[in-house]
Each structure stands twice: as C-alpha cells, then as structure tokens.
Amino acid sequence: MAKLTRSRKALPTAMQKAISLLGRDIAVARTRRRIPQRLFAQRMMVSLDTLQRLEKGDPGVSLGVVASALWALGLGDRLKSLAAPDHDPVGTTEELARLPRRVRRTTSNSTLDF
C-alpha cells in the first residue's frame, strides 16, 4: 500500500473521485480494445502492479504513467489541452482585470521604428 503523503491527505474529495473515474475510464478503453492487462503494461513499459494501481485510481501513480496509458490507447492528444490557457476562463478574466483603464502616449518624441 502506498504511503499517505501530505499531498494525498490534502487532495479534495472531488479530485479523488475524478482520478478514480479516470482510472476506470482507462480500464474500460483498454477492455474495449481487448488488450490484456499484461500486454498493455508492456506497451506502457510499466509493471502490471503499476497498471492495476492506475486503473484503480491511485493518486500516487505518476503523470508519466497516465500519459503512457493515454498514448498507448491513442488518446494522447487529449492531454495536450488539459490545462491550456485557451480553456481557462478564470485566468482570462483575471488577465483582463489587470489591463490598464487608459493607455497614454509615450513622452518620447522619437518616431516609431518598425
């Protein structure tokens, strides 16, 4: 059994459930493709135990293992947009709030050199 670290203790329940769901979804995708666990673990270059921990939703499994599983299933592109700035409405709102209210002309008399 994996040790209970501070980060695992602090993991919100909603995120624990999401990680567990991700593990089950990976297991379903693997099963739909009729790939045995042992073969899938070999394709991912991990141990069978690590694959089983991933499919059970163990939050201690590394991000690299998750990425390997998604790649082996042909779902690797989804990882690219997981936290993309384009899909971050809170970050966009914060950035817009920091924009200056007025823009002033610079005091320099130099011409703009493009």
Side-chain angles (χ1 to χ4, degrees), residues 7 13 19 52 55 65 78 105 110:
S7 62
T13 304
I19 292 170
Q52 290 171 342
E55 290 185 350
V65 171
R78 295 182 184 193
R105 197 169 15 162
S110 65

Side-chain angles (χ1 to χ4, degrees), residues 2-43:
K3 71 178 187 179
L4 193 59
T5 62
R6 285 181 53 197
S7 62
R8 285 193 193 183
K9 288 179 188 176
L11 192 64
T13 304
M15 293 298 96
Q16 289 175 359
K17 289 179 182 178
I19 292 170
S20 181
L21 180 61
L22 175 62
R24 281 184 292 189
D25 290 347
I26 288 172
V28 168
R30 177 189 55 76
T31 305
R32 283 181 172 176
R33 288 163 176 76
R34 298 179 186 257
I35 304 171
Q37 277 188 332
R38 191 170 303 282
L39 177 61
F40 194 59
Q42 288 173 351
R43 288 182 183 174

